[in-house]
Amino acid sequence: MIERHLAKLRARATVSAEEEAAIRSSLGEIREFAADEVVVPALKVQDHSTMLLDGFMCRFKDLRNGKRQITELHVAGDFADLHSFTLKYLDHDVIALTPCRAALVPHANLRRITEQFPHLTRLYWFSTNLDAAIHREWELSLGQRTARARLAALFSELQIRLQIVGLASDTSFDLPLTQTDIAECMGLTNVHVNRTLRNLKEDRLVEFEGRRLTILNKAELWRAGDFDPRYLYLDGNGTAPSLGP
Amino acid sequence: MIERHLAKLRARATVSAEEEAAIRSSLGEIREFAADEVVVPALKVQDHSTMLLDGFMCRFKDLRNGKRQITELHVAGDFADLHSFTLKYLDHDVIALTPCRAALVPHANLRRITEQFPHLTRLYWFSTNLDAAIHREWELSLGQRTARARLAALFSELQIRLQIVGLASDTSFDLPLTQTDIAECMGLTNVHVNRTLRNLKEDRLVEFEGRRLTILNKAELWRAGDFDPRYLYLDGNGTAPSLGP
DNA sequence: TGCCGCGATAAACCTAGGTTAAGACGAGCC
DNA sequence: GGCTCGTCTTAACCTAGGTTTATCGCGGCA
């Protein structure tokens, strides 16, 4: 049920049995979302956060002219909007990119965690800070990387995040996004994403076919993306001292 | 001393006298930084966070080829690296853009806050989530806005953030950055920032002279930047219900 | 079985912003 | 008073990526 969520947490820190129980007992309703369905509308006050169990979601913001920027992708095990606990409403929408299943976690239960479990509170705080680190890496992509490097960095990031939760091997994973979705992540057009994917394939770095990504040469992919995974904070390999006992 | 920090917090939520005392007693050494000095080096484990009292700092990441992306600007009253409390080391550098004064806050003291002051903890958690909201807005700029809109949005954001802490009037403020600094914030070149500033001045939207920014037409500036200040979470005007009592 | 609509692919053309280079200006300094 | 260095400004030129348009393939469905 929430195994992927626990796997994600335990990739960074120790979670005690007591804390695990606290997480489990904080879960509310389980909900399904259709592809393209709005999961959390921008600016609307929330009383719960959404833990993604299956599928892909994203956060996005848009401009008057309709141009849309996806600011982060969410995979199974992620909270899509843990930050709504402190922000109360979001500055962006969250939508399902594929059919999804999610557990709703009432803010009242999260608040109880902040009052009774300081270490777990710090861990969840860490988790929103990790989202911010991903935002920063994407700012770097959007501001400074070429299209080729942007895609290389994005695929490198996803391979790691999905592997942590058991949804990717070392070299491949399902990536049920359209080229337009990818374009909206990386500030490009679908046309240019298409060109760039062809280019990456010609160079035998990755193949993206049938909504599945295959990494043909990870070392070269990382190099092409100027990718440094340390922003994903996995060095503690499961027992990061970062958060104290 | 930390009035600007308190002003920033109180622009979003109530801070009790007891909490204010807890903040004051958590302060450690006061340090000065020269312009361009590294305040927090990337990847180095930290045992304190840095509360900016005076001057401008920024977070940035860079690529092998030397291209640099500033991911956020910090003004007086901001914590430059509150997130190092949970992340322990940063995925980016923090440097002083101008001469700065800052209070160092030992993580041990922050941890005490998480153990004794759940509401204040949520408020500081909120504060790192606000940084993330700013990152998202910059992702939107970097990915989708034109150069003109990027600068308009940046100036609009800074006017508000500086006004909260008493460093901007409705229409002007000191902005001691070079055009190259601005370029590195918005993923442009200094040459194009220069062109775009000329353009904004011709249209009587803003003037940037002598490191001082003057807004000539705020309504048009906001419109040019497609700027919506709600991502700065100021609606509670000082008493946001967001964080509970 | 044939239609519909979305997504992938591709070619031709265009432009916002990058690159390069060269003065101008001013603050600190010897 | 002249020098140096950083910043600003401008012009000329270039290119990565956007735009537009069209075709193709395929899954769902009536």
Side-chain angles (χ1 to χ4, degrees):
Chain A
M1 176 66 134
I2 63 164
E3 282 59 42
R4 294 201 168 111
H5 177 66
L6 292 169
K8 180 186 171 181
L9 294 180
R10 290 197 163 116
R12 274 90 180 188
T14 308
V15 178
S16 71
E18 197 187 13
E19 288 169 337
E20 182 178 329
I23 296 171
R24 289 188 186 281
S25 72
S26 73
L27 301 178
E29 184 192 348
I30 305 295
R31 270 212 53 190
E32 312 259 337
F33 294 91
D36 297 325
E37 189 175 344
V38 175
V39 176
V40 188
L43 305 176
K44 187 166 161 225
V45 173
Q46 300 297 307
D47 63 1
H48 64 271
S49 291
T50 307
M51 182 193 293
L52 179 53
L53 303 175
D54 263 309
F56 286 74
M57 293 183 178
C58 73
R59 309 179 175 178
F60 74 89
K61 305 190 67 151
D62 46 25
L63 297 176
R64 278 198 307 269
N65 64 12
K67 284 179 190 287
R68 159 186 302 198
Q69 179 63 42
I70 294 178
T71 62
E72 189 177 355
L73 289 174
H74 294 296
V75 306
D78 291 347
F79 261 112
D81 65 335
L82 183 52
H83 51 319
S84 74
F85 172 56
T86 64
L87 295 176
K88 239 50 195 173
Y89 65 89
L90 300 183
D91 52 296
H92 59 83
D93 292 273
V94 176
I95 56 170
L97 290 171
T98 66
C100 288
R101 209 164 49 92
L104 308 191
V105 181
H107 286 171
N109 296 355
L110 290 173
R111 179 198 278 237
R112 198 151 24 79
I113 287 176
T114 68
E115 279 154 5
Q116 298 173 11
F117 298 91
H119 171 257
L120 184 55
T121 301
R122 292 195 294 273
L123 183 49
Y124 276 140
W125 185 353
F126 169 93
S127 159
T128 63
N129 288 162
L130 178 59
D131 286 325
I134 292 171
H135 289 330
R136 284 190 290 274
E137 187 68 19
W138 285 33
E139 286 185 77
L140 179 62
S141 275
L142 292 164
Q144 306 298 342
R145 284 187 172 100
T146 63
R148 181 184 162 94
R150 287 183 211 185
L151 295 194
L154 176 64
F155 295 148
S156 303
E157 172 185 311
L158 287 173
Q159 187 274 326
I160 293 180
R161 289 174 59 194
L162 288 166
Q163 190 168 32
I164 291 169
V165 294
L167 291 173
S169 77
D170 237 14
T171 55
S172 69
F173 52 92
D174 287 324
L175 185 62
L177 308 187
T178 66
Q179 295 185 6
T180 300
D181 293 331
I182 294 172
E184 289 177 346
C185 290
M186 292 290 105
L188 300 167
T189 57
N190 57 345
V191 175
H192 200 60
V193 166
N194 187 276
R195 281 198 276 252
T196 309
L197 283 172
R198 193 184 346 158
N199 178 262
L200 288 170
K201 182 174 171 179
E202 278 163 13
D203 293 349
R204 311 291 305 151
L205 295 189
V206 299
E207 255 171 16
F208 182 47
E209 259 159 39
R211 305 286 159 91
R212 186 167 180 87
L213 193 95
T214 307
I215 297 176
L216 303 170
N217 186 335
K218 202 194 277 192
E220 276 308 307
L221 186 68
W222 283 26
R223 159 170 289 273
D226 219 328
F227 180 73
D228 179 344
R230 284 176 290 188
Y231 74 94
L232 294 172
Y233 290 90
L234 288 161
D235 48 288
N237 49 276
T239 48
S242 328
L243 296 154
Chain B
M1 177 64 134
I2 61 163
E3 282 60 40
R4 293 200 170 112
H5 177 66
L6 293 169
K8 181 188 170 180
L9 294 180
R10 291 194 162 119
R12 274 92 179 188
T14 309
V15 178
S16 72
E18 198 187 12
E19 287 169 337
E20 180 176 332
I23 296 170
R24 289 188 187 281
S25 72
S26 73
L27 301 178
E29 184 192 348
I30 304 295
R31 271 213 50 192
E32 313 257 338
F33 296 90
D36 298 323
E37 189 175 345
V38 174
V39 176
V40 187
L43 305 175
K44 188 167 160 225
V45 173
Q46 299 297 308
D47 63 0
H48 65 271
S49 291
T50 308
M51 183 193 294
L52 179 54
L53 303 173
D54 262 309
F56 285 73
M57 293 182 175
C58 72
R59 309 177 176 179
F60 73 89
K61 305 190 68 152
D62 47 26
L63 298 176
R64 279 198 307 270
N65 65 11
K67 286 182 189 284
R68 160 186 300 200
Q69 179 62 42
I70 296 178
T71 61
E72 189 178 357
L73 290 173
H74 294 295
V75 306
D78 291 346
F79 262 111
D81 65 335
L82 182 52
H83 51 318
S84 74
F85 171 56
T86 63
L87 295 176
K88 239 49 195 178
Y89 65 88
L90 299 184
D91 52 296
H92 58 83
D93 292 274
V94 176
I95 56 170
L97 290 170
T98 65
C100 288
R101 208 164 49 90
L104 308 192
V105 181
H107 285 170
N109 296 355
L110 289 173
R111 180 199 277 241
R112 197 151 24 78
I113 286 176
T114 68
E115 279 154 5
Q116 296 172 11
F117 298 91
H119 171 258
L120 184 55
T121 301
R122 292 195 295 272
L123 183 48
Y124 276 140
W125 186 352
F126 168 93
S127 157
T128 63
N129 288 160
L130 178 58
D131 286 326
I134 292 170
H135 289 328
R136 284 189 290 273
E137 187 69 19
W138 286 33
E139 287 185 75
L140 179 62
S141 275
L142 292 164
Q144 307 298 342
R145 284 186 172 98
T146 62
R148 180 184 163 94
R150 287 183 210 185
L151 295 194
L154 176 65
F155 296 149
S156 303
E157 172 184 312
L158 287 173
Q159 187 273 325
I160 292 180
R161 291 174 58 194
L162 288 166
Q163 189 169 31
I164 291 170
V165 294
L167 291 173
S169 76
D170 236 15
T171 55
S172 70
F173 51 92
D174 287 325
L175 185 63
L177 309 187
T178 66
Q179 295 185 5
T180 298
D181 293 332
I182 293 172
E184 288 177 345
C185 290
M186 292 289 104
L188 300 166
T189 57
N190 58 345
V191 174
H192 200 59
V193 166
N194 188 277
R195 284 198 272 250
T196 308
L197 284 171
R198 191 185 345 155
N199 179 262
L200 287 172
K201 182 174 172 181
E202 278 163 11
D203 292 349
R204 311 292 304 149
L205 295 189
V206 299
E207 255 171 19
F208 182 46
E209 257 159 40
R211 304 284 157 96
R212 188 168 178 84
L213 192 94
T214 307
I215 296 176
L216 303 171
N217 185 336
K218 200 194 278 192
E220 276 309 307
L221 186 69
W222 282 27
R223 159 170 289 273
D226 219 329
F227 179 73
D228 179 344
R230 284 176 290 188
Y231 74 94
L232 294 172
Y233 290 90
L234 290 159
D235 48 288
N237 48 276
T239 47
S242 327
L243 297 153

